[in-house]
């Protein structure tokens, strides 16, 4: 494995970084592995997005036109699984890889080889998930939440492949999170106290904790599902004394922290971008840290709000309703702080800032519709309707995905050494934002009017809104090709980026040249 | 490669991560094929396991070499400590999922099934149970035979491991070796008795929810004891080769932490699976 034979080097410059394919498959460099994560995530984003376009094509008109109902179910299931585990999560890990060592002033993550393993485990998992489309019985079709009894009764091998893919992704996430949490706790530059860390690092510290606490619970749930399918256990079978609802409890005990795993790093990203372009320090840094921690802790006691209609004692329902509502308090603190950061700032509106402002605006809409869903009697009405679809796309697309896009523009100069094309970036922003709202805003109306999700056909009165949504979805999908073009153009060339690419940028990452050299901070800087 | 020991150790590019990925791919793919009776599935699975064993051997060999060459400074050692602690926390949460399932079934689900008059009107919730559709009476596993002896064995093994650690701290190799051998022997006896208990048990994984939770919890615990025993064996080999000293023995400590964790899980199993 080792290619180093030199015996007289006093630095790491001669670790002999291999070129060609070996540079990537054998990498122990946080920047290269971060790049791998980000590209992987982007291709999964396009793939799962294409599946979503299949859904929207079918729903363009009432009636069945393009896909069989079973295949429609497969599209929704794989779209959800791949977007969550293949696109959003790896993108945040990519940022963590690239930026955390630069932000806290250390040479790499604590365990570079394990870091590479975390990435390369994503690949077999993706292969298992995607090839499961072609096995007899077809891909997994019971929704990304894999509720039994459907997921036990479906005897297709694809369900087992998906379960094992998620097991592998779980290993990847746990190893990656242990790596990140260890890096943050043990590798900070001298003087970088916890309360001086950039907020993005804080949000990842807490996210890593959530991952380590929740991913093993998913592993347990998946194992029970697997043994129920093949080894005769009765965890989810009432005839044997089990309960299908048990799956929902264990799954959502993982699933709700998972939701915050996908949004806390997004909060960290826009808390980095907004101060830069408002040219003011982040308002209420300490309260941001405490709010993040509060959201994380609350995320472990709200899971059954996903199950209000599955039957539970009223006392339980009330507990989960109130605990869910409590989350709006720390979240409100965050939104207030972002707005207060912009208040009387010397604002400019480059692409990253446009994305961040849109996130504050649109995520808040998603947060408020979440509050609507948390109200028990309302949830009984809107559960499993397009209202819920609208809600979670407002938090996951305009919260997580759009903050990722903004942050890509923000750090592209640092990564590539070139400024991206600002005009095209703004075009990408406006196309994405408008198309996103055209797609998902009407779903609030169809949902409130009672259109159920995950059904390939619908009653005639929903036709107009669905047509609007579908047109928006195709515009949204095609706009992302522009994103790809802007990124490639920026890698190929463009105006030379300064070390400090943005006038108002703060932080250690802007003290190293652009593009960031292969090795940085081998001797840690001292933070005052 | 010599390196400034003041700097944090950064490993050279390595193919082990990719080999890990291949191993898990073969294992998962082979397992999925085998469960669905696809011919050649078991070969793929076995190939995966072999690659995995090669991986563990090779990667740990490299790490031990680096450790013996003194590449790991104080800060690296602290990284190891944090990461092992968090890894054990993830294991705690893994078992917590199964314990949560057990508590949920016993406290809520069975009660609700026995209250339902529609499907199984005669079913009355008791514990242990094989569920309302069971035709035969269930003979549960009592706590005061083998399980109690096993509890004692694991508790003593925790003490012998600490005895070994004290030996290491005093640079008393003999005490260290004896302590380790005793711990490994106790682990092996535990596993033998556990296998015996399984062989004699009047119920299987098929025996409704009691069999499901019993075998899932004790089975995963047994796998962890097996892993722990193998890890202790490797530590014993390393001790016999002269590795570790009073200041530098994180490998030993990590395995000791893991062993104590497995021990504590057993106490919960004894109370909630065998006893109550």
């Amino acid at each position: 494995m080792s290619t180093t034979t030199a015996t007289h080097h006093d630095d790491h410059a001669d670790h002999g970084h291999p070129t060609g394919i070996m540079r990537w498959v054998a990498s122990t460099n946080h920047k290269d592995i971060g790049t791998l994560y980000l590209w992987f995530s982007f291709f999964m984003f396009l793939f799962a997005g294409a599946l979503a376009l299949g859904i929207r094509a079918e729903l363009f008109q009432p009636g069945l036109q393009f896909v069989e109902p079973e295949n429609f179910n497969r599209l929704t299931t794989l779209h959800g699984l791949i977007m969550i585990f293949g696109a959003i999560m790896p993108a945040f890990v990519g940022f963590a890889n690239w930026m955390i060592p630069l932000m806290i002033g250390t040479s790499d993550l604590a365990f570079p080889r394990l870091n590479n393993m975390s990435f390369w485990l994503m690949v077999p998992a993706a292969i298992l998930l995607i090839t499961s489309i072609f096995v007899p019985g077809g891909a997994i079709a019971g929704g990304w939440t894999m509720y039994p009894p459907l997921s036990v009764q479906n005897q297709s091998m694809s369900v087992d492949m998906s379960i094992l893919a998620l097991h592998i992704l779980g290993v990847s996430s746990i190893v990656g999170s242990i790596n990140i949490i260890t890096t943050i706790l043990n590798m900070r530059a001298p003087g970088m106290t916890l309360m001086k860390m950039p907020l993005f690092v804080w949000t990842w510290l807490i996210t890593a904790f959530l991952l380590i606490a929740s991913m093993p619970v998913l592993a347990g749930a998946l194992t029970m599902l697997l043994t129920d399918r093949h080894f005769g256990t009765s965890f989810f079978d009432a005839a044997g004394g089990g309960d299908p609802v048990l799956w929902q409890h264990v799954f959502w005990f993982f699933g709700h922290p998972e939701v915050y795993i996908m949004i806390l790093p997004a909060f960290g990203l826009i808390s980095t971008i907004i101060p830069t372009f408002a040219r003011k320090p982040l308002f209420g840094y300490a309260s941001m840290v405490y709010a993040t921690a509060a959201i994380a802790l609350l995320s472990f006691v709200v899971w059954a709000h996903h199950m209000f209609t599955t039957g539970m004692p009223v006392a339980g329902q009330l507990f989960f309703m109130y605990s869910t509502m409590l989350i709006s308090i720390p979240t409100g603190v965050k939104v207030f702080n972002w707005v207060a950061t912009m208040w009387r700032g010397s604002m400019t509106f480059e692409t990253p800032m446009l994305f961040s402002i849109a996130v504050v605006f649109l995520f808040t809409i998603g947060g408020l519709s979440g509050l609507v869903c948390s109200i028990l009697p309302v949830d009984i009405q809107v559960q499993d309707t397009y209202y819920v679809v609208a809600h979670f796309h407002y938090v996951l697309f305009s919260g997580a995905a759009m903050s990722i896009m903004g942050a890509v523009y923000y750090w592209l100069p640092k990564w590539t050494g070139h400024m991206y094309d600002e005009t095209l970036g703004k075009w990408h922003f406006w196309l994405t934002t408008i198309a996103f709202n055209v797609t998902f805003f009407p779903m609030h109306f169809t949902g409130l009017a009672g259109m159920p999700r995950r059904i390939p056909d619908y009653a005639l009165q929903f036709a107009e809104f669905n047509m609007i949504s579908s047109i928006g979805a195709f515009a949204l999908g095609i706009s992302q090709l522009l994103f790809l073009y802007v990124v490639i153009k920026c890698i190929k060339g463009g105006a030379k980026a300064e070390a400090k690419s943005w006038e108002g940028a703060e932080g250690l990452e802007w003290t190293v040249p652009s593009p960031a050299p292969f090795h940085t901070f081998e001797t840690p800087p001292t933070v005052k | 490669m010599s390196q400034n020991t003041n700097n944090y150790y950064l490993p050279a590019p390595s193919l082990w991560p990719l080999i890990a990925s291949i191993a898990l791919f073969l294992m998962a793919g082979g397992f999925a094929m085998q469960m669905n009776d696809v011919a050649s599935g078991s070969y793929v699975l076995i190939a995966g396991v072999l690659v995995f064993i090669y991986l563990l051997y090779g990667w740990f060999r490299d790490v031990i070499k680096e450790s013996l060459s003194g590449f790991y400074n104080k800060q690296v050692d602290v990284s190891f400590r944090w990461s092992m602690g968090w890894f054990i926390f993830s294991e705690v949460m893994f078992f917590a999922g199964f314990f949560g399932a057990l508590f949920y079934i016993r406290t809520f689900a069975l009660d609700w099934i026995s209250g339902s008059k529609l499907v199984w009107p005669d079913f009355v919730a008791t514990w242990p149970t094989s569920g309302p559709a069971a035709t035969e009476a269930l003979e549960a596993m009592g706590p005061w035979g083998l399980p109690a002896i096993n509890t004692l064995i694991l508790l003593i093994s925790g003490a012998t491991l600490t005895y070994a650690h004290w030996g290491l701290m005093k640079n008393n190799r003999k005490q260290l070796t004896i302590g380790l051998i005793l711990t490994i022997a106790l682990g092996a006896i535990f596993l033998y008795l556990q296998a015996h208990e399984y062989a004699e048990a009047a119920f299987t994984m098929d025996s409704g929810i009691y069999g499901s939770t019993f075998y899932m919890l004790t089975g995963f615990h047994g796998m962890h004891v097996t892993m722990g025993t193998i890890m202790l064996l490797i530590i014993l080999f390393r001790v016999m080769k002269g590795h570790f000293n009073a200041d530098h023995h994180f490998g030993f400590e990590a395995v000791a932490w893991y062993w104590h964790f497995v021990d504590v899980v057993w106490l919960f199993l004894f109370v909630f699976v065998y006893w109550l």
Side-chain angles (χ1 to χ4, degrees), chain A residues 15 26 113 160 186 234 239-240, chain B residues 10 14 36 66 75 79 209 212:
Chain A
H15 263 330
R113 281 174 294 210
D160 302 311
N186 189 39
S234 308
Chain B
L10 293 182
S14 163
N36 291 280
E66 288 164 5
Q75 198 184 9
S79 283
I209 191 65
S212 306

Side-chain angles (χ1 to χ4, degrees), chain A residues 405-487:
Chain A
M405 292 169 192
V408 167
Y409 286 110
Y410 184 64
W411 281 309
L412 262 180
K414 179 57 61 190
W415 298 339
T416 64
H418 305 126
M419 300 305 286
Y420 59 87
D421 185 326
E422 188 65 55
T423 314
L424 287 180
K426 286 203 167 92
W427 268 99
H428 171 230
F429 166 76
W430 285 110
L431 286 171
T432 301
T433 306
I434 293 168
F436 166 77
N437 281 291
V438 172
T439 311
F440 291 104
F441 206 82
M443 290 184 189
H444 290 111
F445 306 133
T446 49
L448 285 176
M451 178 169 159
R453 63 191 279 216
R454 292 173 168 169
I455 308 280
D457 192 4
Y458 49 84
L460 294 177
Q461 72 264 31
F462 304 124
E464 283 82 4
F465 279 137
N466 272 287
M467 193 175 282
I468 295 170
S469 280
S470 291
I471 292 168
F474 276 87
L476 184 59
I478 291 161
S479 309
Q480 303 321 308
L481 299 177
L482 178 61
F483 184 34
L484 178 64
Y485 174 74
V486 179
V487 170

Side-chain angles (χ1 to χ4, degrees), chain A residues 317-333:
Chain A
Q317 291 182 316
L318 288 177
F319 170 79
F320 286 108
M321 174 170 103
Y322 290 126
S323 60
T324 305
M325 290 176 166
L326 274 182
I327 291 178
S328 60
I329 296 170
T331 315
V333 168

